[in-house]
Amino acid sequence: MENNNRKNRSRRKPGTGGAAPANWKMADREMAPQAGREKSGAANFVVQGSILAAAGILVRIIGLFYRIPLIDIIGDEGNGYYTSAFSIYSILLIISSYSLPTAVSKMVSARIGKGQYCNSARILRASFVYAACVGGIAAGVLWFGADFFAGAMKMPYSSYALRTLAPTVWVMAFLGVLRGYFQGMGTMVPTAISQILEQIVNAVVSIGAAWYLFREGMKANLVRGGTEYSYAFGAAGGTLGTGAGAFIAFLFCGFLMLTYRKTIKRQCRKDRNGATEGYGEIAGVLTLTILPIVLSSTVYNISSVIDNFFFGQGMAHLGQSDVIAAQWGIFGKYHTLFMIPVAIANALSSSLIPSLSRAMAARDRGQVLDKVTTAIRFSMLIAIPASVGLTVLSAPVNNLLFPSRSGDLLVQITIAGASAVAFYSLSTVSNAILQGINRMNTPLKNAVIALGLHIAILLVMLYGFKWGIYAVIFSNILFALTMCLLNGRSIRKYLDYRQEYKKTFLLPFLCSLIMGAAAYGVSALFDKLLPEGRMWLGVQVAAAVFAAIAVYGVCLIKLKAVDEVELYDMPAGRRLVRIARKCRLL
């Protein structure tokens, strides 16, 4: 009882930083949401987001570890073809299916919030038709345009991997619909489990297929008198696992949907909330919902394809065509490591959009502001220390995971690009906030501005300064930073949201600096005490990471970056509070 009283006393209106504007005051009086319901709503979306984040981190870790033997098999050149093919595949995936979970979850959650279960079921059926059409077109474009895309990237042998990925685009479209429906219903568990299954199958098939096809490619080298067929075939084998994993995940979600059909029918029979929407009306709304998300996501993610194109063209112009595939493969290793902490922001965004949509449909401003504040703070509590950790532990982590002759360059670009983790995490969450409050076009406008600046800086650094792969790294950081600033301005404008800086940014950064110093010291100490060898390097990294987590947690509490109330709101909050009390931190 004492704990609950403390929690209620310390609860404040989040995100406002002062009095609410006049146009919201009347809405507050009309809606009068209960504090307990606000707290419950905010905590629930964090819990659901954390489930997806945990699955996302596990997926990224599986992906990281299977990429180690995969890269050992296909080499930096093969990884260059693999990474290049995935850049094109990702854009077509965004157009055909990446936006579907977001759009479907947003539409379904808004209907569920009003008790319109029949309309939510009709949205599911209409979305499947969309997936069949758009997914099929995207698959055809990837299959028949593989040679064109590969030639434009100055990596013609990546066409094999591109064609292997073509059927996957179609499967992912249907999978996106099912995941979006479950997310709109308020549960991230089916998405989380399907992602784990998908990645496990992906890892097994990718390694096996790459090993087999690499050897077949070596035979092709002898027959055709070339040197690149082994790398190209190996990269295609690596992408084969992506399709296999997606198909298994689709079967899993499809099975869940079949078991859930009775519940859907029962809900529809009891539905008395509003008129049934026609399929034509739903198709129109679905298109209007998907289109801004597709465009903004495409612009937001197309930077990797643009980077790949200009990097290939620029290096060829500078007479360094022989290193294009290898250096892009090294960049792919950095990107694999970089995406692990960013997965938390992606998962939080997937949970945030339907949650915000329900709060907006209910005109509950208290919940809207509470969710915005919680999402930004939670993402920064993870992303900022991740950036610092990648910086100070770049050498031991990369040497452990990717030991090769290119290790020095990989370490350097990881240090140079570590700050991108924080900026990309914040820009991803802020995109989700704007989409969740029905400002669908705003992230698109901001992304276009950021992309234009990104391209200009990339060309100057690449052709003018001749910075090579570093031009890609720094222009990406600038792109994400610009998105953060523009999205932040838009959120402030549309919600009259006043960002809190001290506990959201400054204190986590200070705690991260202390954490970084501790991690670096532990790593350096173990480096001197332990003998050489990959196993001992693993011990060194594990000790440094453990020290970093412990020091960061202590600093967050002692410097009051988080309080007891906020610890309770986090996943496993009660356990965290008990541990903090046993250690006499609270």
Side-chain angles (χ1 to χ4, degrees):
M1 180 65 71
E2 182 181 350
N3 292 339
N4 291 333
N5 291 336
R6 277 202 299 268
K7 288 170 70 177
N8 291 331
R9 283 199 302 270
S10 62
R11 194 49 139 179
R12 61 202 175 284
K13 175 152 293 219
T16 59
N23 62 319
W24 278 101
K25 285 181 179 179
M26 180 62 71
D28 282 345
R29 285 196 296 269
E30 291 175 356
M31 294 179 289
Q34 296 180 359
R37 185 159 53 86
E38 287 185 18
K39 178 178 178 299
S40 174
N44 181 63
F45 103 81
V46 171
V47 170
Q48 291 295 326
S50 298
I51 292 172
L52 200 56
I57 292 173
L58 181 58
V59 164
R60 294 302 192 282
I61 291 174
I62 295 172
L64 177 64
F65 281 104
Y66 93 75
R67 286 289 292 274
I68 295 172
L70 179 64
I71 294 172
D72 287 342
I73 293 169
I74 65 178
D76 285 339
E77 291 84 354
N79 193 44
Y81 298 141
Y82 180 92
T83 305
S84 179
F86 258 91
S87 297
I88 302 296
Y89 162 76
S90 296
I91 296 303
L92 289 171
L93 190 67
I94 288 169
I95 295 172
S96 63
S97 63
Y98 183 84
S99 58
L100 275 171
T102 301
V104 172
S105 68
K106 181 176 175 60
M107 292 179 65
V108 169
S109 64
R111 272 68 177 179
I112 294 298
K114 298 176 182 178
Q116 298 176 0
Y117 294 100
C118 288
N119 288 333
S120 68
R122 294 172 78 86
I123 289 170
L124 177 64
R125 300 186 193 104
S127 299
F128 272 123
V129 176
Y130 174 91
C133 297
V134 179
I137 293 171
V141 169
L142 191 57
W143 178 271
F144 294 107
D147 291 329
F148 169 77
F149 294 130
M153 301 298 173
K154 297 296 182 182
M155 297 186 193
Y157 289 95
S158 64
S159 61
Y160 294 95
L162 283 167
R163 284 197 176 91
T164 307
L165 284 168
T168 308
V169 176
W170 209 348
V171 175
M172 288 297 294
F174 294 106
L175 178 59
V177 171
L178 293 174
R179 285 174 171 171
Y181 183 80
F182 286 121
Q183 290 171 17
M185 295 294 290
T187 175
M188 302 293 152
V189 175
T191 299
I193 296 175
S194 67
Q195 285 180 347
I196 295 171
L197 287 174
E198 177 185 355
Q199 192 71 326
I200 291 173
V201 174
N202 183 5
V204 174
V205 175
S206 292
I207 294 172
W211 179 86
Y212 175 76
L213 290 178
F214 185 85
R215 277 150 182 77
E216 292 299 307
M218 292 178 69
K219 297 176 184 177
N221 286 339
L222 296 174
V223 173
R224 303 182 186 184
T227 59
E228 299 297 312
Y229 289 104
S230 56
Y231 301 122
F233 287 12
T239 59
L240 190 63
T242 306
F247 184 68
I248 293 299
F250 171 70
L251 291 180
F252 172 77
C253 288
F255 172 76
L256 290 183
M257 183 57 67
L258 288 175
T259 60
Y260 193 65
R261 283 181 64 189
K262 291 183 179 179
T263 301
I264 296 175
K265 290 180 179 179
R266 184 170 63 253
Q267 290 173 338
C268 289
R269 285 195 297 268
K270 296 179 180 179
D271 186 351
R272 300 292 185 273
N273 294 281
T276 301
E277 296 176 84
Y279 283 109
E281 181 183 355
I282 290 174
V285 175
L286 182 64
T287 301
L288 292 176
T289 303
I290 286 178
L291 192 58
I293 298 175
V294 167
L295 292 176
S296 61
S297 298
T298 301
V299 174
Y300 185 72
N301 290 276
I302 203 173
S303 60
S304 62
V305 177
I306 292 174
D307 291 343
N308 197 172
F309 173 77
F310 282 120
F311 177 73
Q313 296 289 336
M315 297 298 281
H317 176 76
L318 297 173
Q320 300 183 43
S321 300
D322 56 324
V323 301
I324 293 175
Q327 287 201 6
W328 198 252
I330 295 169
F331 175 78
K333 295 177 183 177
Y334 151 77
H335 197 262
T336 299
L337 197 60
F338 152 85
M339 285 303 296
I340 293 176
V342 175
I344 296 175
N346 289 330
L348 201 62
S349 299
S350 297
S351 174
L352 179 63
I353 290 175
S355 181
L356 273 178
S357 296
R358 282 192 294 272
M360 290 293 291
R363 291 180 52 80
D364 195 334
R365 182 180 187 250
Q367 279 208 46
V368 170
L369 293 178
D370 201 19
K371 292 174 192 294
V372 170
T373 302
T374 303
I376 294 175
R377 282 211 62 204
F378 190 77
S379 65
M380 289 299 96
L381 285 173
I382 303 298
I384 292 175
S387 292
V388 174
L390 276 181
T391 302
V392 300
L393 297 179
S394 175
V397 168
N398 280 307
N399 289 333
L400 171 66
L401 299 175
F402 307 111
S404 68
R405 63 184 185 276
S406 60
D408 290 342
L409 178 59
L410 178 58
V411 168
Q412 291 164 9
I413 67 173
T414 301
I415 293 173
S419 62
V421 171
F423 296 133
Y424 267 96
S425 296
L426 182 57
S427 63
T428 299
V429 170
S430 57
N431 273 348
I433 290 170
L434 290 169
Q435 291 169 355
I437 63 173
N438 299 322
R439 297 293 175 175
M440 309 296 291
N441 293 324
T442 304
L444 172 60
K445 297 175 184 177
N446 294 343
V448 169
I449 296 171
L451 183 62
L453 184 60
H454 167 81
I455 294 173
I457 295 299
L458 174 63
L459 294 177
V460 170
M461 292 179 176
L462 193 57
Y463 287 91
F465 299 156
K466 299 179 175 60
W467 283 358
I469 197 66
Y470 289 100
V472 177
I473 298 293
F474 293 137
S475 59
N476 270 300
I477 294 174
L478 180 64
F479 172 80
L481 175 60
T482 305
M483 283 295 297
C484 291
L485 296 175
L486 294 176
N487 285 350
R489 184 184 66 178
S490 300
I491 293 170
R492 183 169 61 251
K493 173 184 175 181
Y494 293 122
L495 289 179
D496 198 59
Y497 176 79
R498 302 178 189 179
Q499 180 61 57
E500 186 278 330
Y501 290 98
K502 182 179 178 182
K503 294 183 71 175
T504 304
F505 301 106
L506 297 180
L507 288 180
F509 181 65
L510 177 59
C511 295
S512 298
L513 290 179
I514 299 171
M515 174 210 77
Y520 182 81
V522 171
S523 178
L525 177 62
F526 274 72
D527 185 47
K528 291 183 178 180
L529 295 178
L530 296 176
E532 293 186 1
R534 200 168 182 181
M535 182 184 72
W536 297 113
L537 188 58
V539 174
Q540 175 186 335
V541 170
V545 170
F546 179 80
I549 293 173
V551 171
Y552 183 64
V554 171
C555 289
L556 284 178
I557 296 174
K558 285 300 184 182
L559 295 180
K560 301 188 183 304
V562 296
D563 55 31
E564 186 173 340
V565 174
E566 291 163 334
L567 280 178
Y568 269 115
D569 285 347
M570 291 181 182
R574 292 184 180 276
R575 185 178 301 172
L576 291 175
V577 170
R578 284 199 302 269
I579 293 173
R581 284 176 175 169
K582 287 181 180 179
C583 297
R584 299 184 179 180
L585 298 175
L586 290 176

